[in-house]
C-alpha cells in the first residue's frame, strides 16, 4: 500500500508542477464496534484555481483504503 501512496503523490506532484500550491494528506483510522473490524484511509487535498473565472475549487482524492487486522 505504501508504494501505491508514494506513486500517487509523485503523479500528483508532476500534475501540479506547473501550478503554485501544495498537496496536503490526511490519514484516519477507525473501527466498527459490532464487528471489531478496523480500517485506515489516506486522502490527498489540493486547491485548483481558474484564472479565467477567478474561482477556486477544493479537490480531494482517496489514495488508499485498507482493512487493518490485529
Amino acid at each position: 500500500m505504501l508504494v501505491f501512496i508514494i506513486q500517487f503523490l509523485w503523479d500528483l506532484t508532476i500534475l501540479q508542477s506547473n501550478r503554485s500550491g501544495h498537496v496536503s494528506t490526511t490519514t484516519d483510522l477507525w473501527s466498527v464496534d459490532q464487528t471489531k473490524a478496523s480500517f485506515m484511509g489516506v486522502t490527498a487535498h489540493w486547491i485548483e484555481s481558474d484564472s479565467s473565472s477567478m474561482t477556486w475549487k477544493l479537490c480531494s482524492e482517496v489514495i488508499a483504503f485498507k482493512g487493518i487486522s490485529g
Side-chain angles (χ1 to χ4, degrees):
M1 182 168 87
L2 182 59
V3 173
F4 179 74
I5 293 170
I6 292 170
Q7 182 63 46
F8 177 84
L9 291 175
W10 177 256
D11 294 343
L12 190 58
T13 301
I14 291 171
L15 179 67
Q16 295 288 324
S17 64
N18 62 346
R19 301 175 184 165
S20 61
H22 301 280
V23 175
S24 297
T25 57
T26 57
T27 303
D28 194 13
L29 297 166
W30 66 96
S31 61
V32 180
D33 288 336
Q34 292 82 1
T35 62
K36 304 299 183 199
S38 299
F39 302 95
M40 180 177 87
V42 182
T43 310
H45 311 275
W46 67 96
I47 296 174
E48 291 183 355
S49 61
D50 184 357
S51 58
S52 62
S53 64
M54 304 282 291
T55 59
W56 288 357
K57 178 183 173 187
L58 177 61
C59 301
S60 297
E61 187 74 33
V62 174
I63 299 172
F65 181 86
K66 184 174 175 86
I68 305 294
S69 62

